Amino acid sequence: MAAQENDDHKYVYDFSEGNKDLKDLLGGKGANLAEMTNLGLPVPPGFTITTEACQAYLATGREPDGLAEQIEAHLRALESEMGKRLGDPRDPLLVSVRSGAKFSMPGMMETVLNVGLNDQSVVGLAAQAGQNDRFAWDSYRRLIQMFGKTVCEVPGEEFEHALDEVKSAKGTHNDLDLDADDLRGLVDAYKKIFAKHTGREFPQQPREQLDLAIRAVFESWNAERAVLYRRQERIPADLGTAVNVVTMVFGNLGPDSGTGVAFTRDPGSGAQGIYGDYLANAQGEDVVAGIRNTVPLQELERLDKSSYDELLSIMARLEEHYRDLCDIEFTIERGKLWMLQTRVGKRTAAAAFVIAGQLVDEGLIDEDEALHRVNGAQLAQLMFPRFQLDHEFEAVATGIGASPGAASGKVVFTSARAVELAAEGESVILVRRETNPDDLNGMIAAKGILTSRGGKTSHAAVVARGMGKTCVSGADAIDVNVPAKRFTVAGRTVNEGDVVSIDGTTGKVYLGEVPVMPSEVVQYFEGSLDGEHVDNPLVRAVHRVMTHADGKRRLAVRTNADTGADAARARRFGAEGIGLCRTEHMFLGERRELVERLILARAEGERDEALAALLPLQRADFEEIFREMDGLPVTVRLIDPPLHEFLPPLEQLAVNVAVAQERGEDVAKEEALLAAVRRMHEENPMLGLRGVRLGLVIPGLFAMQVRAIAEAAVAVVRGGGKACPEIMVPLVGAVQELETVRAEAEKIITEVVGDSGVEVLIGTMIEVPRAALTAGQIAEAAEFFSFGTNDLTQMGWGFSRDDVEGAFFWRYLELGIFGISPFESIDRDGVGRLVRIAAEEGRAARPGLKLGVCGEHGGDPDSVHFFHSVGLDYVSCSPFRVPVARLEAGRAAVETDGSDSR
Ligand code: ADP
Ligand code: MG
Ligand code: MG
């Protein structure tokens, strides 16, 4: 890195030198401390060591040249500004050392407070604080504790244990009851713990404390947990962290001091108002650590009116400045307010929509920006039913919300029991320590899955998300005992058959059945709530954002639907056509028998008979759908799966035949069936006789479907309706395949359509990699392409979805080989590249070629942005995902077309 060779490269920035846009260099915390400093807010003076210094340190294993001198210079400046010297025995300047990367990351080093205290300066600190010995020794013991734990990896429990001992010797639970002598004794105990674990005395040199703490922050960038987290979240490994050195201010100086956290609006609902917690006579993390009970921030008005008023006005100022909800950390030292941190705050999905709407009303942002501030994942969350928790239900455990939804049911501990009870019509929750591939059937049978171990990428989490099943993972308060068929939690025992409720969004676990309430957002989409007039801030906000998204988006949104009912629902959700109507579902039920006859037909006559019987049934299916869609385009895919899927499984059939033969029964028919099943058995059905291959091998099958589609369209049109069919040929890999099907289809269409005015397009799926790579040729015979990204992903990666998700995806996710399953979100680099090539070469060969996507990715937020950028005409997704796709298509349009008001 060039920076290293350059001695005068700037590695240290005073807070007055930075600003909020320098997050790459100063980290989030440092950039925002600088921003607040420059706004004139009361921030304790300090400086930030850049991420570049960290990168250089990590690359070479030593501080880059010039860094030590720059720290020295900034420290001197800070000392002269404060009129104190770091660790001065008579009047010490103390500082905190705080990590702060561009993205906040669990696993990174925490903060060390009170750096600069030692056996001498603790006395000086007490004297300066008006002979406040208690405060000084409290600060010193905190330093040894935090320094020991985070810089030298001394186990934190040992310090906590020692603190508990002192408290119980005093007969108290409250740390405020400890006096100066108790704390002095605790410092001795802490020093012993420190020496025992590190083999050295607690460092007394203030500057050494500072340097070691800074170095520990640098090194924590590569701590195991941090590395794992970055891989999973796709955060680049080379960003590094900044380090903030901040003059200490003291919330533990007495009852007129304290520390707190606050939000400028309710991060839960988005409601305006003051939300926060305050703790008097406390320092640092005490507020969130739950050491003592905090009071609501409103109480501060009574305790210290002038600090409270100042805080409120600062919060208003920050909101206006950041034009968003902010969260803050502050400390009051003897009636003087200090700001220690701010950032744009996290919020729930509902709050995100409500706040975006409010900010537009307040004139702080425009509608494009409001659209940018919400996302499809949040909208999807709001479309799940929720638990109604107004009374009496209290969570007994909280795990990770691994797959959203709300599920209640009887507890079971084995896959087999789950299957059994589900077959009796019971709702069950499968509870395991962790799941493995053997649990798959139980997971399918269960309404929800609860595990006591594992995170968002555990087997349970990955598989549940793939199945759209509610899952809470890693609820470690639960102690699962599978052989005894029970678990214990919070002192209670839950046996097999007892009912529990799990919330896959919040990760909460409840005993008993919690009532579920439908989503108001779904009610709005279904038309039972009027988005403009309803007295519900969330629904109004969703309505407003969706209206704007629809006005901006370039991508049309269609749905995947096989029945009139699905089509109708999707239309209410805003679908503008059907992008994938699968026909294989139309061959099930009582029609199965006709398909069997078709497959088993020996003579042409038998086959034609079966086809002739299927024709009117198919025609009726299509008529219903065309009517429902009333002139919107309907893409019908000709039959796709391998034929043996319509026949009984081989093993079962073989056993039946053997048993019947044994009994001497007449089994001629079964034997023929068995022979056919044997003949058609494939080792790799996904790569076998299916799709267009089937159409080219079984005479008359595609022709029957084409005829049914054309006749249905004509019937609808002659009845005064509108129909706009598009016939889609699956699994094409070579233009010759499509040309053959097309020639036959065109003949039939011309004959059926006559002068009815019906127009039928013929196109193909692009789902075999070869099709993507020869798209220029294929476009000559296709009026549209629809990307079947499920198959394209399977064949592009060479793995079958049904097998891999349970077998090894969890491991791949854990290792960071992918950040998200490529079936969930399109793999832009590989599969996405095939899409891009096909789109470009297809359009080059046939300008105006219609391009869409009908894989599951059509409803995935990130994938929608990708399809927008490739320039497709539409995405098609399941009905429930249609609103998500509309929203994301709108976001993609305002983001890339650049009308962001910033
Ligand atoms: P985190 O990233 O975990 O929030 P911080 O660096 O914000 O860690 O530090 C945690 C807490 O420590 C802060 O909220 C604040 O209460 C306290 N703290 C940090 N620096 C100082 C300081 N200079 N003076 C007083 N308290 C501080
Ligand atoms: Mg903080
Ligand atoms: Mg396919």
Side-chain angles (χ1 to χ4, degrees):
M1 169 179 330
Q4 275 169 255
E5 291 145 28
N6 185 351
D7 264 7
D8 33 291
H9 189 79
K10 190 168 169 59
Y11 286 120
V12 183
Y13 285 68
D14 191 84
F15 288 166
S16 61
E17 294 176 298
N19 68 62
K20 71 171 165 35
D21 300 322
L22 294 179
K23 288 203 179 78
D24 285 323
L25 190 64
L26 304 178
K29 201 177 286 167
N32 286 322
L33 281 168
E35 188 78 11
M36 287 200 291
T37 301
N38 292 326
L39 282 173
L41 303 183
V43 176
F47 52 86
T48 303
I49 301 163
T50 63
T51 53
E52 288 176 356
C54 174
Q55 291 159 14
Y57 175 85
L58 292 175
T60 61
R62 61 178 189 84
E63 283 77 4
D65 292 344
L67 177 59
E69 293 79 359
Q70 291 184 35
I71 292 176
E72 185 69 21
H74 277 86
L75 189 58
R76 292 280 160 266
L78 186 61
E79 287 174 339
S80 69
E81 184 179 356
M82 302 307 297
K84 302 174 185 219
R85 277 192 308 112
L86 185 70
D88 183 330
R90 281 180 322 266
D91 181 13
L93 170 70
L94 304 184
V95 295
S96 63
V97 177
R98 314 167 67 186
S99 69
K102 179 177 184 186
F103 306 102
S104 87
M105 263 170 31
M108 290 292 302
M109 200 196 85
E110 291 150 32
T111 302
V112 182
L113 302 180
N114 309 331
V115 169
L117 272 181
N118 58 24
D119 295 350
Q120 276 83 49
S121 62
V122 66
V123 178
L125 183 68
Q128 289 298 327
Q131 293 311 327
N132 191 339
D133 285 349
R134 185 195 182 280
F135 152 71
W137 288 100
D138 181 50
S139 302
Y140 194 17
R141 69 96 188 161
R142 287 173 189 265
L143 169 63
I144 302 169
Q145 185 168 0
M146 282 185 266
F147 191 93
K149 195 172 136 199
T150 61
V151 179
C152 301
E153 291 170 11
V154 179
E157 311 87 72
E158 298 229 10
F159 294 119
E160 271 147 41
H161 189 68
L163 177 60
D164 286 343
E165 266 180 8
V166 178
K167 282 197 223 164
S168 68
K170 265 249 128 136
T172 180
H173 292 295
N174 190 340
D175 59 310
L176 289 183
D177 291 337
L178 304 184
D179 60 22
D181 284 338
D182 298 325
L183 292 164
R184 192 181 286 118
L186 197 55
V187 164
D188 282 338
Y190 277 10
K191 280 191 194 157
K192 289 205 183 85
I193 293 170
F194 185 93
K196 184 178 98 192
H197 280 278
T198 61
R200 59 165 293 186
E201 297 301 317
F202 178 73
Q204 292 290 315
Q205 271 299 326
R207 184 59 203 267
E208 188 190 1
Q209 292 173 2
L210 179 63
D211 290 339
L212 288 175
I214 291 169
R215 185 178 278 200
V217 173
F218 285 161
E219 284 174 354
S220 72
W221 178 258
N222 282 333
E224 200 181 31
R225 254 180 76 206
V227 171
L228 212 59
Y229 181 82
R230 281 201 296 274
R231 265 198 219 139
Q232 284 169 5
E233 299 295 315
R234 299 265 128 166
I235 296 174
D238 56 2
L239 296 178
T241 179
V243 186
N244 302 288
V245 176
V246 189
T247 305
M248 281 303 300
V249 291
F250 299 100
N252 56 338
L253 263 169
D256 57 352
S257 304
T259 181
V261 297
F263 293 89
T264 55
R265 290 170 204 236
D266 182 350
S269 69
Q272 276 136 316
I274 305 298
Y275 293 82
D277 298 299
Y278 181 71
L279 191 58
N281 202 358
Q283 197 178 35
E285 306 283 65
D286 292 358
V287 179
V288 276
I291 295 187
R292 275 178 270 140
N293 282 339
T294 56
V295 297
L297 190 59
Q298 280 82 352
E299 284 283 296
L300 184 61
E301 185 170 18
R302 202 173 45 74
L303 296 171
D304 181 351
K305 171 105 170 90
S306 87
S307 294
Y308 181 75
D309 290 344
E310 188 184 357
L311 184 64
L312 256 52
S313 92
I314 288 175
M315 283 175 25
R317 178 99 190 274
L318 286 173
E319 268 226 343
E320 208 176 310
H321 186 70
Y322 284 89
R323 301 178 307 130
D324 207 344
L325 163 113
C326 294
D327 69 25
I328 61 171
E329 299 175 3
F330 66 93
T331 281
I332 296 174
E333 177 180 318
R334 292 193 165 148
K336 161 86 182 123
L337 174 69
W338 294 99
M339 301 299 293
L340 291 172
Q341 187 175 329
T342 192
R343 65 187 158 196
V344 167
K346 295 216 163 68
R347 65 207 71 188
T348 63
F353 278 87
V354 170
I355 291 172
Q358 287 168 356
L359 293 173
V360 175
D361 287 338
E362 291 167 24
L364 286 175
I365 61 174
D366 64 14
E367 303 244 15
D368 280 0
E369 179 64 17
L371 183 53
H372 177 66
R373 297 264 180 106
V374 295
N375 64 52
Q378 292 166 333
L379 183 64
Q381 244 183 48
L382 294 170
M383 291 176 69
F384 283 101
R386 282 181 293 129
F387 283 134
Q388 199 169 349
L389 288 165
D390 351 324
H391 57 105
E392 77 201 51
F393 291 101
E394 219 189 297
V396 289
T398 303
I400 292 159
S403 179
S408 292
K410 292 189 170 167
V411 167
V412 295
F413 294 93
T414 62
S415 189
R417 189 67 186 141
V419 171
E420 242 168 67
L421 277 188
E424 290 167 20
E426 298 277 5
S427 296
V428 301
I429 305 289
L430 177 65
V431 181
R432 310 277 296 162
R433 208 160 289 162
E434 50 206 333
T435 59
N436 62 48
D438 294 336
D439 292 320
L440 219 53
N441 288 333
M443 295 176 79
I444 293 167
K447 280 210 84 160
I449 295 135
L450 169 62
T451 68
S452 59
R453 290 217 207 119
K456 259 200 147 64
T457 60
S458 61
H459 178 265
V462 174
V463 176
R465 277 202 299 280
M467 300 194 294
K469 193 144 294 197
T470 302
C471 175
V472 171
S473 67
D476 51 17
I478 288 177
D479 192 5
V480 182
N481 187 337
V482 172
K485 295 193 193 156
R486 60 163 187 259
F487 70 78
T488 51
V489 62
R492 319 242 322 238
T493 299
V494 177
N495 293 302
E496 184 177 280
D498 293 350
V499 173
V500 298
S501 302
I502 60 173
D503 186 329
T505 307
T506 62
K508 296 216 187 294
V509 180
Y510 305 89
L511 300 185
E513 179 167 349
V514 182
V516 168
M517 75 183 176
S519 146
E520 304 103 320
V521 172
V522 168
Q523 290 174 325
Y524 156 67
F525 285 128
E526 295 203 312
S528 60
L529 289 179
D530 175 345
E532 230 159 302
H533 302 108
V534 70
D535 186 26
N536 175 324
L538 172 60
V539 171
R540 278 208 315 275
V542 169
H543 170 72
R544 174 176 200 161
V545 171
M546 291 304 293
T547 308
H548 191 63
D550 285 340
K552 287 282 173 161
R553 67 189 157 89
R554 278 206 325 258
L555 279 172
V557 177
R558 297 195 194 178
T559 192
N560 301 348
D562 312 343
T563 63
D566 274 359
R569 177 155 213 230
R571 272 196 79 176
R572 288 199 298 276
F573 280 11
E576 297 158 295
I578 292 181
L580 175 62
C581 171
R582 298 180 176 87
T583 55
E584 47 272 20
H585 299 193
M586 302 170 180
F587 294 96
L588 301 178
E590 68 259 44
R591 303 176 188 183
R592 226 191 160 101
E593 200 243 336
L594 286 172
V595 181
E596 251 180 54
R597 262 164 57 195
L598 173 71
I599 298 170
L600 299 177
R602 303 248 143 177
E604 218 170 286
E606 278 176 66
R607 188 168 49 228
D608 290 348
E609 244 172 62
L611 286 171
L614 282 165
L615 176 67
L617 300 172
Q618 284 260 275
R619 193 196 303 130
D621 296 330
F622 297 133
E623 266 192 61
E624 188 193 338
I625 291 172
F626 292 152
R627 286 225 163 78
E628 204 58 70
M629 294 313 281
D630 194 25
L632 296 175
V634 175
T635 307
V636 180
R637 180 176 71 185
L638 301 181
I639 188 166
D640 183 31
L643 279 186
H644 70 77
E645 283 196 10
F646 298 98
L647 299 176
L650 179 62
E651 293 83 7
Q652 185 199 324
L653 199 59
V655 171
N656 290 354
V657 170
V659 170
Q661 276 168 342
E662 192 80 358
R663 294 200 194 113
E665 291 169 17
D666 173 21
V667 290
K669 202 168 149 238
E670 283 75 9
E671 272 173 349
L673 191 57
L674 181 60
V677 172
R678 285 227 166 90
R679 189 157 26 85
M680 273 180 262
H681 177 77
E682 293 174 325
E683 290 300 336
N684 285 311
M686 292 311 284
L687 302 177
L689 179 60
R690 54 179 281 230
V692 67
R693 304 159 196 171
L694 204 60
L696 297 178
V697 167
I698 308 247
L701 180 57
F702 275 13
M704 179 277 289
Q705 288 197 296
V706 169
R707 183 174 294 277
I709 294 163
E711 287 181 358
V714 169
V716 169
V717 168
R718 295 229 194 270
K722 285 179 271 180
C724 185
E726 303 176 342
I727 293 178
M728 178 156 80
V729 183
L731 224 71
V732 164
V735 67
Q736 293 82 356
E737 292 170 311
L738 186 59
E739 282 168 349
T740 311
V741 174
R742 186 178 189 95
E744 188 185 18
E746 274 177 344
K747 253 189 255 149
I748 298 167
I749 292 167
T750 312
E751 176 210 317
V752 174
V753 161
D755 62 354
S756 65
V758 169
E759 246 192 277
V760 185
L761 301 186
I762 299 176
T764 182
M765 289 190 82
I766 301 289
E767 54 186 338
V768 177
R770 187 179 191 283
L773 298 173
T774 59
Q777 297 167 16
I778 292 177
E780 303 283 346
E783 277 141 329
F784 64 88
F785 284 173
S786 176
F787 291 95
T789 52
N790 295 348
D791 262 305
L792 202 54
T793 300
Q794 296 204 100
M795 293 190 227
W797 279 89
F799 45 44
S800 105
R801 172 170 202 170
D802 298 328
D803 298 323
V804 291
E805 281 195 332
F808 66 81
F809 261 33
W810 59 275
R811 183 73 182 135
Y812 270 43
L813 288 160
E814 206 174 72
L815 289 170
I817 292 171
F818 9 87
I820 183 168
S821 157
F823 289 113
E824 231 173 287
S825 195
I826 192 145
D827 152 36
R828 289 181 179 225
D829 298 346
V831 178
R833 177 129 197 270
L834 289 171
V835 171
R836 200 180 278 280
I837 290 169
E840 281 166 12
E841 297 189 0
R843 281 230 170 103
R846 183 193 283 256
L849 178 74
K850 249 209 255 192
L851 298 174
V853 58
C854 63
E856 230 120 291
H857 297 104
D860 166 68
D862 188 58
S863 308
V864 170
H865 285 247
F866 175 75
F867 298 134
H868 171 90
S869 77
V870 175
L872 302 193
D873 297 300
Y874 68 88
V875 295
S876 185
C877 53
S878 65
F880 212 66
R881 280 265 153 186
V882 166
V884 173
R886 284 163 55 202
L887 179 72
E888 289 294 350
R891 295 186 67 220
V894 302
E895 281 165 23
T896 45
D897 304 348
S899 35
D900 189 332
S901 62
R902 264 180 214 272

